[in-house]
């Protein structure tokens, strides 16, 4: 019975699959040094930035796409992608100048871009295709010395900060996609929280891919100086298209002494249709460094979209007494594939990390957790606890766990627990008998399963995440 | 209220119910007794629509509606409640969330608006007292880590919340100590009204000391083979089931 229901629930449609009819400026497809130069020129970048891009591009040419992930990735023709698409109009100075079509798009996405809506206390930087459109609340934040702007603006107005921190956590030599991003990245967000400042509102970026055949390569750089605090949200959507679209982002976080950074993502890129046609290929490098003593970084992610997800938000625990957390819910349905997890690199003394991963697989999807916990020789008293749970809906999907541990200090305590469970027919019938339909029962059970992670999200995001979990699995259990 | 005629039902191709007929009117309490494997739990599963069972013959009508045409959740929303013999655990789903979903589904079915938060909490408090249920339990996930007795008490609590027209208690007494049995039975008695009916499925007469049935039926080999008043339960307690089997086979 449950198979029939699982089959049914997995047939839901992507609800954000609209495109926005606005003029875009796209450069021709293909990648070479000339394209890198064009992108840099279009953004009026200084020489050092162009040099960085070119070095990254030359390095990228020496690399091959990695194949170690538990993913079946169709060949990607990097010469058939356009590496830059921008809404054609010049950067708006105020909300009135923003293309009304664009505003409508954000409206449909439920983004509080308009300042009156911003009473909810979220500052938003919206990145559409390749260009950052508008950052709300900039003035309010500036009074506290907080910088929250698009990456391009940061390059222009805060070159010292960008030069100091960019690529310090994820160098362009890190991996294939990091090199590609470093060569062609178009825009993204930049955050700097000065010493002792507690950012009074959630900072938020929404990414949306709109134009056909474009890749989106954004960079986010967050620097939290001594004794500061910031909570950062990232949301992602893309319209429904038959072709696969490429997304390769970089996120870098630097937490100085006693700083705390909380990074939350609800990723809802278009996952492709029921038969696996279309969808976003999401190859993202996210890494933070707890640079100062007593610093803290936490990653929370709810991953419901993308045809392919390749993503390991990681943390280097360099400062003594620093700590990091990774909370993840990854849902795959239909033909989606996800290989996601984290790396916790313990270098400082008395560092601790906590990993909680909840995978949910339905349809004929594959969901893998891949995690590395490394304890360096000098990391006295390192602690790690990892828990990886998998929930299966139906019997055609797969869940896999690949935990790696490298412990080079005998005072370390590293623990790993893993469970796999299925939604049982008896649980569904129990709910049915209380008047709850099978679809609602699945939603209830899945949200119950994911609760520990969803509870870590800021309120607004938590509500959205709960809805997404239910929508993603609609039609998937009987 | 409930009219079952010549009911035949299979599980995995094996016939368990073999021509069962039973009529229950509102205001009545019926006890169904019988040896192991006679089909008692199958009967409750078939009435509530468990998908593992297939009805091959016969009819079940509930207040004039053909029950066999309805999905399990529709039967529940029509007012049929099953107190499970083995209530399942649903990790992470709080009792509060679970009950609010159930109540709101019932209200939606009746075209009533969703219950307000204050009304819901008031209802929870009221019903918890009725079945002497500890708040600690209702703050936890559904049945997660509950003892056997707590699970049964939780079933009666849910029954109190949903106020069914027909309640089926499937071996609710099994695994209960005498105090828990008294609390559960008190709950059932307090919920009794001239408008609703109760079916008590049990092995032992013990529960019937607390819940007094109007009718007692003996289920044997998929059929009701003997019916009587509450004295039949006492006779079964004293003499066992062998004499019934002999009567049937004679």
């Amino acid at each position: 019975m449950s198979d029939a229901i699982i089959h049914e629930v997995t047939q839901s449609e992507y609800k954000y699959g609209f495109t926005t009819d606005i003029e875009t400026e796209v450069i021709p497809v293909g990648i070479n040094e000339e394209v890198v130069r064009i992108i840099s020129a279009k953004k009026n970048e200084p020489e050092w930035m162009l040099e960085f891009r070119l070095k990254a591009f030359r390095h990228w040419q020496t690399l091959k796409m990695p194949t170690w992930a538990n993913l079946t990735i169709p060949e990607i023709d990097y010469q058939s992608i356009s590496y830059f698409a921008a809404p054609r109009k010049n950067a708006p100075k105020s909300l009135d100048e923003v293309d009304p079509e664009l505003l409508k798009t954000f409206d449909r996405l439920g983004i509080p871009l308009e300042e009156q809506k911003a009473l909810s206390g979220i500052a938003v930087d919206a990145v559409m295709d390749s260009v950052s459109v508008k950052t709300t609340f900039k003035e309010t934040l500036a009074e506290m010395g907080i910088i929250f702007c698009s990456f391009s603006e940061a390059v222009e107005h805060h070159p010292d900060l960008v030069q100091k921190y960019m690529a310090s956590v994820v160098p362009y030599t890190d991996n294939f996609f990091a090199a590609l991003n470093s060569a062609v990245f178009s825009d993204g967000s930049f955050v700097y929280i000065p010493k002792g400042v507690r950012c009074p509102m959630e900072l938020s970026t929404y990414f949306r891919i709109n134009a056909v055949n474009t890749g989106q390569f954004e960079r986010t750089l967050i620097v939290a100086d001594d004794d500061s605090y910031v909570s950062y949200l990232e949301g992602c959507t893309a319209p429904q298209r038959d072709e696969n679209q490429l997304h390769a982002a970089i996120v870098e976080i630097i937490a100085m002494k006693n700083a705390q950074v909380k990074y939350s993502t609800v990723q809802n890129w278009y996952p492709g249709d029921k038969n696996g046609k279309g969808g976003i290929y999401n190859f993202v490098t996210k890494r933070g460094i707890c640079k100062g003593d007593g610093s803290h970084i936490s990653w929370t992610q709810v991953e419901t979209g993308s045809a392919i997800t390749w993503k390991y938000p990681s943390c280097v625990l360099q400062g003594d007494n620093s700590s990091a957390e990774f909370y993840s819910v990854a849902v795959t349905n239909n033909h989606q594939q996800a290989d996601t997890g984290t790396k916790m690199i313990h270098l400082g003394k008395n560092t601790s990390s906590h990993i909680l991963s909840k995978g949910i697989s339905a349809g004929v999807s594959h969901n893998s957790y891949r995690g590395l916990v490394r304890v360096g020789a000098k990391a006295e008293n390192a602690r790690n606890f990892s828990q990886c749970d998998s929930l299966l809906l139906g019997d055609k999907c797969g869940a896999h766990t690949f935990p790696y541990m490298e412990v080079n200090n005998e005072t370390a305590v590293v623990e790993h627990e893993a469970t796999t469970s299925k939604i049982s027919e008896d649980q569904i019938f129990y709910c049915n008998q209380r008047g709850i339909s099978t679809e609602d029962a699945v939603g209830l059970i899945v949200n119950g399963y994911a609760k520990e992670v969803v509870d870590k999200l800021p309120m607004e995001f938590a509500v959205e995440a709960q809805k997404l979990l239910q929508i993603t699995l609609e039609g998937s259990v009987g | 209220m409930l009219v079952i005629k010549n009911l035949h039902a299979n599980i995995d191709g094996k016939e368990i119910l073999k021509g069962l007929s039973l009529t229950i009117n509102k205001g009545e309490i019926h006890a169904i007794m019988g040896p192991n494997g006679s089909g008692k739990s199958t009967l409750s599963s078939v009435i509530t629509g468990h998908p593992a069972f297939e009805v091959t013959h016969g009819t079940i009508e509930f207040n004039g509606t053909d029950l066999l045409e309805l999905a399990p959740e529709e039967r529940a929303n029509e007012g049929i409640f099953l107190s499970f013999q083995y209530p399942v655990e649903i990790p992470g789903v709080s009792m509060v969330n679970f009950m609010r979903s159930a109540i709101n589904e019932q209200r939606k079915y009746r075209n009533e608006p969703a219950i307000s938060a204050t009304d819901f909490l008031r209802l929870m408090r009221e019903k918890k007292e009725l079945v002497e249920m500890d708040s600690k339990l209702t703050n936890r996930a559904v049945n997660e880590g509950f003892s056997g007795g707590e699970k049964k008490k939780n079933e009666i609590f849910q029954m109190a919340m949903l106020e069914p027209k027909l309640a089926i208690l499937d071996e609710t007494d099994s695994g209960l100590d005498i105090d828990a049995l008294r609390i559960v039975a008190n709950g059932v008695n307090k919920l009794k009204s001239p408008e609703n009916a109760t079916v008590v499925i049990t092995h032992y007469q013990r529960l019937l000391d607390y819940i007094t049935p109007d009718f007692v039926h003996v289920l044997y080999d998929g059929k009701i083979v003997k019916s009587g008043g509450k004295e039949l339960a006492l006779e079964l307690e004293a003499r066992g089931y062998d004499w019934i089997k002999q009567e049937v086979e004679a």
Side-chain angles (χ1 to χ4, degrees), chain A residues 1 424-427 429-438 440 444-449 451, chain B residues 48-51 73 76-77 80-82 84 88-93 98 102 105 143 155 158:
Chain A
M1 168 221 57
S424 74
E425 221 170 78
D426 286 343
Q427 286 173 326
F429 182 66
Y430 191 80
C431 295
N432 289 160
Q433 215 300 305
R434 299 303 184 248
I436 301 166
S437 71
T438 298
D440 290 344
L444 208 57
I445 294 167
V446 165
N447 272 307
Y449 169 80
K451 190 170 181 295
Chain B
T48 51
H50 195 291
E73 62 271 23
N77 289 326
I80 295 176
F81 180 89
L82 173 61
F84 284 77
V88 295
E89 300 189 2
I90 309 181
V93 179
F98 182 69
E105 286 303 318
N143 292 324
E155 293 294 289
Q158 294 177 45

Side-chain angles (χ1 to χ4, degrees), chain B residues 18 84 113 145 147 156 163 190 216:
Chain B
K18 303 172 180 174
F84 284 77
S147 70
I156 304 305
E163 298 181 339
K190 280 184 208 160
V216 174

Side-chain angles (χ1 to χ4, degrees), chain A residues 49-292:
Chain A
M49 188 53 102
L50 175 63
E51 278 310 309
F52 174 81
R53 287 178 182 277
L54 289 172
K55 269 193 282 183
F57 176 69
R58 287 167 198 149
H59 182 71
W60 178 74
Q61 286 181 300
T62 67
L63 301 175
K64 285 207 158 57
M65 209 167 116
T67 53
W68 45 262
N70 186 28
L71 300 168
T72 310
I73 306 171
E75 192 151 346
I76 299 171
D77 181 0
Y78 290 92
Q79 296 302 343
S80 69
I81 297 167
S82 169
Y83 289 84
F84 189 82
R88 193 182 291 278
K89 291 185 182 160
N90 292 329
K93 296 285 181 290
S94 79
L95 220 55
D96 309 333
E97 292 175 41
V98 174
D99 190 321
E101 281 294 321
L102 200 56
L103 286 180
K104 253 189 257 167
T105 303
F106 291 125
D107 210 38
R108 291 182 69 179
L109 294 170
I111 301 165
L113 188 72
E114 287 173 66
E115 253 142 8
Q116 58 264 43
K117 285 194 201 157
L119 288 169
S120 54
I122 297 180
V124 178
D125 183 20
V127 178
M128 174 122 161
D129 286 325
S130 307
V131 169
S132 182
V133 177
K134 168 80 187 163
T135 309
T136 58
F137 268 125
K138 209 189 306 190
E139 291 79 10
T140 323
L141 294 168
E143 283 166 22
M144 305 181 76
I146 294 171
I147 304 168
F148 177 40
C149 62
S150 72
F151 203 89
S152 315
E153 283 176 90
V155 170
E156 194 182 338
H157 300 296
H158 310 281
D160 44 333
L161 285 173
V162 175
Q163 268 182 294
K164 184 169 175 192
Y165 292 109
M166 184 184 72
S168 70
V169 193
V170 181
Y172 64 80
T173 49
D174 193 79
N175 67 69
F176 180 85
F177 299 108
L180 178 63
N181 175 291
S182 300
V184 300
F185 74 90
S186 28
D187 213 330
S189 298
F190 175 79
V191 175
Y192 175 78
I193 314 290
K195 283 184 182 154
V197 170
R198 196 182 160 84
C199 185
M201 58 185 77
E202 314 271 359
L203 300 183
S204 171
T205 300
Y206 270 83
F207 295 113
R208 180 171 171 83
I209 298 175
N210 198 53
V212 196
N213 289 330
T214 50
Q216 180 148 325
F217 306 92
E218 74 274 351
R219 275 191 97 95
T220 302
L221 177 56
I222 299 172
V223 182
D225 218 327
D226 297 354
D227 304 299
S228 67
Y229 165 87
V230 65
S231 168
Y232 187 89
L233 317 177
E234 176 200 284
C236 318
T237 54
Q240 216 161 318
R241 298 211 186 269
D242 286 348
E243 308 85 15
N244 297 99
Q245 286 166 285
L246 182 62
H247 174 248
I250 289 180
V251 176
E252 298 178 280
I253 300 176
I254 295 126
M256 308 303 269
K257 197 177 163 200
N258 294 323
Q260 292 183 38
V261 180
K262 188 178 153 86
Y263 193 104
S264 313
T265 309
V266 173
Q267 186 264 108
N268 182 32
W269 297 118
Y270 177 51
D273 70 8
K274 290 184 280 218
N275 305 314
K277 194 171 168 55
I280 303 289
Y281 294 165
N282 191 27
F283 301 101
V284 178
T285 308
K286 291 186 168 182
R287 193 175 306 150
I289 182 165
C290 288
K291 213 175 168 71

Side-chain angles (χ1 to χ4, degrees), chain B residues 98-143:
Chain B
F98 182 69
M99 274 336 295
R100 194 165 44 204
S101 301
I103 295 249
N104 281 334
E105 286 303 318
Q106 195 183 58
R107 295 174 71 105
K108 197 162 83 187
Y109 192 80
R110 297 176 186 157
N111 291 319
E112 291 167 6
I115 190 166
S116 74
T118 30
D119 286 353
F120 177 75
L121 291 174
R122 189 183 308 127
L123 190 67
M124 285 277 282
R125 202 166 47 236
E126 209 176 277
K127 303 299 184 181
K128 266 190 304 207
E129 280 166 21
L130 190 76
V131 294
E132 301 176 39
M133 177 111 165
D134 198 321
S135 289
K136 264 186 253 158
L137 295 181
T138 49
N139 289 335
R140 297 232 296 259
V142 180
N143 292 324

Side-chain angles (χ1 to χ4, degrees), chain B:
Chain B
M1 176 184 271
L2 185 76
V3 182
I4 302 175
K5 284 184 188 155
N6 190 29
L7 186 66
H8 291 253
N10 292 345
I11 182 164
D12 297 331
K14 186 171 182 262
E15 186 164 67
I16 308 287
L17 298 182
K18 303 172 180 174
L20 183 144
S21 297
L22 177 66
T23 299
I24 294 170
N25 298 307
K26 60 182 187 183
E28 295 175 351
I29 297 180
H30 290 244
I32 294 179
M33 303 182 73
N36 277 329
S38 56
K40 299 189 301 289
S41 287
T42 299
L43 177 61
S44 62
S45 295
V46 170
I47 294 172
T48 51
H50 195 291
F53 295 88
E54 185 197 359
V55 174
T56 52
H57 279 293
T59 57
I60 308 177
E61 271 187 17
F62 184 65
N63 291 329
T65 307
D66 179 0
L67 216 50
L68 298 176
E69 287 296 308
L70 300 184
E73 62 271 23
E74 293 169 322
R75 300 183 197 197
N77 289 326
E78 284 287 335
I80 295 176
F81 180 89
L82 173 61
S83 165
F84 284 77
Q85 185 177 0
Y86 304 109
V88 295
E89 300 189 2
I90 309 181
V93 179
S94 69
M95 273 306 294
V96 171
N97 243 344
F98 182 69
M99 274 336 295
R100 194 165 44 204
S101 301
I103 295 249
N104 281 334
E105 286 303 318
Q106 195 183 58
R107 295 174 71 105
K108 197 162 83 187
Y109 192 80
R110 297 176 186 157
N111 291 319
E112 291 167 6
I115 190 166
S116 74
T118 30
D119 286 353
F120 177 75
L121 291 174
R122 189 183 308 127
L123 190 67
M124 285 277 282
R125 202 166 47 236
E126 209 176 277
K127 303 299 184 181
K128 266 190 304 207
E129 280 166 21
L130 190 76
V131 294
E132 301 176 39
M133 177 111 165
D134 198 321
S135 289
K136 264 186 253 158
L137 295 181
T138 49
N139 289 335
R140 297 232 296 259
V142 180
N143 292 324
E144 199 180 29
F146 286 30
S147 70
E150 286 167 345
K151 285 182 182 171
K152 294 301 175 75
K153 218 191 258 186
N154 191 19
E155 293 294 289
I156 304 305
F157 165 68
Q158 294 177 45
M159 171 177 153
M161 291 291 288
L162 293 166
E163 298 181 339
K165 293 180 187 135
L166 175 69
I168 304 166
L169 312 182
D170 190 0
E171 309 241 355
T172 298
D173 49 341
S174 65
L176 289 188
D177 61 33
I178 202 75
D179 291 328
L181 186 69
R182 184 187 48 78
I183 292 169
V184 164
N186 274 348
V188 173
N189 287 330
K190 280 184 208 160
L191 295 169
K192 196 73 214 72
S193 87
E195 293 306 310
N196 62 24
T198 310
V199 175
V200 181
I201 293 174
T202 181
H203 264 294
Y204 307 107
Q205 117 85 19
R206 194 175 66 154
L207 179 62
L208 305 180
D209 287 340
Y210 298 92
I211 303 172
T212 312
D214 301 300
F215 302 94
V216 174
H217 309 279
V218 180
L219 187 59
Y220 176 66
D221 195 23
K223 276 184 246 182
I224 287 174
V225 293
K226 200 171 185 63
S227 297
K230 65 182 172 193
E231 64 290 345
L232 179 56
L234 294 167
E235 197 177 354
L236 289 169
E237 181 79 358
R239 296 177 63 189
Y241 289 108
D242 282 351
W243 63 281
I244 301 268
K245 293 180 191 172
Q246 280 158 17
E247 260 188 31
V248 171
E249 278 148 25

